[in-house]
Amino acid sequence: MQHAQEPLVIFDCDGVLVDSEPLSVRVLMDAVAAHGGTLSEAEAYRRFLGRSMATMVSILDEDFGIAADAAFLEGMRRALYQRFEEELQPIEGIANALQQMPWRKCVASSSQPERIRLSLRLTGLQNFFEPHIFSATMVKRGKPEPDLFLHAAAEMNAEPSQCVVVEDSPAGILAAKRAGMRVFAFTGGSHADREEYREEVAALSPDVIFDDMDKLLHLVAESLGVDAP
């Protein structure tokens, strides 16, 4: 059993480990359009970034009049996985950072477990985390509530005060803060060049905002008050 005072670095997946957000948003926009709705790229990022499947289904139903039933979701899943197979890339520098990281680590993502593992497998990152992969499907409330991060910490026998969360979405940043954890906002994904997004992230006052994974180890070490590897 790991000691609860040992540091734990908790990674979101989409937009932090893999550069998937533009692919996901395009698939969602296409699905909404196919059902007679209109969803701009800016609105898609603002309303859906970092949210769970359950939240997405609720928003589509209540605000777009789209019943995201099993057939709708299966069509989106097939389209997304095809794009992943063809185009998905890891975030630049993340593999090297994970290779050198001396602290315990896990994934806590709003995505379905199957999608998380597919993303990590396609980008060569899965072995850095297995079996410590946690999904919003494992808790009652998804981000921006703290449930998922608290669940991951409990499963890893880590105190929230010893956890560093690496997130890219406003919902995830809020969830980490509500969990009583340090949160590092990563703004280096290809979806992060929008001024509105950067302003929203900054307004949430994360502990650190950074856009280069080559700096992650130093930043975590500095936050924990330990020597960098």
Side-chain angles (χ1 to χ4, degrees):
M1 177 70 72
Q2 295 282 356
H3 194 277
Q5 292 304 313
E6 289 186 18
L8 172 66
V9 184
I10 304 176
F11 289 87
D12 178 42
C13 183
D14 298 293
V16 170
L17 298 174
V18 300
D19 203 10
S20 56
E21 298 295 8
L23 306 181
S24 303
V25 161
R26 174 50 58 188
V27 167
L28 177 60
M29 291 170 62
D30 290 347
V32 169
H35 285 72
T38 301
L39 177 65
S40 70
E41 183 178 69
E43 185 178 13
Y45 278 119
R46 180 173 57 84
R47 303 197 64 185
F48 295 98
L49 183 67
R51 304 284 181 156
S52 67
M53 179 71 74
T55 299
M56 183 193 79
V57 168
S58 177
I59 293 173
L60 289 175
D61 178 43
E62 295 174 8
D63 297 345
F64 292 86
I66 295 174
D69 56 15
F72 178 93
L73 295 176
E74 176 61 19
M76 274 193 59
R77 186 189 68 83
R78 285 199 307 268
L80 182 63
Y81 286 8
Q82 181 176 344
R83 286 205 174 216
F84 278 10
E85 293 275 1
E86 296 170 352
E87 304 177 48
L88 187 63
Q89 297 294 321
I91 291 292
E92 185 175 356
I94 188 61
N96 186 57
L98 294 172
Q99 184 76 49
Q100 297 184 52
M101 183 167 288
W103 309 291
R104 296 186 298 148
K105 52 191 174 291
C106 67
V107 176
S109 167
S110 293
S111 295
Q112 308 288 100
E114 175 190 29
R115 172 174 160 178
I116 300 169
R117 286 186 162 88
L118 175 67
S119 299
L120 297 179
R121 178 177 62 79
L122 290 173
T123 53
L125 303 177
Q126 189 170 2
N127 289 340
F128 288 115
F129 295 103
E130 286 286 9
H132 307 303
I133 294 174
F134 305 103
S135 162
T137 60
M138 300 173 179
V139 295
K140 184 175 181 179
R141 303 176 302 173
K143 304 170 188 178
E145 301 304 325
D147 302 30
L148 178 56
F149 290 136
L150 292 174
H151 171 72
E155 290 292 310
M156 299 292 290
N157 191 35
E159 295 291 342
S161 62
Q162 289 299 106
C163 295
V164 174
V165 175
V166 187
E167 260 288 355
D168 71 309
S169 73
I173 294 167
L174 272 174
K177 289 173 74 75
R178 290 171 177 173
M181 300 175 179
R182 298 177 181 86
V183 58
F184 289 12
F186 176 67
T187 58
S190 60
H191 66 288
D193 58 354
R194 296 174 299 110
E195 184 176 352
E196 179 187 21
Y197 163 79
R198 288 179 175 265
E199 289 176 352
E200 188 175 2
V201 166
L204 295 173
S205 300
D207 295 273
V208 172
I209 300 176
F210 75 112
D211 61 6
D212 183 354
M213 280 298 176
D214 289 336
K215 299 177 180 177
L216 179 61
L217 295 183
H218 173 76
L219 291 171
V220 173
E222 186 175 56
S223 177
L224 293 172
V226 300
D227 292 334

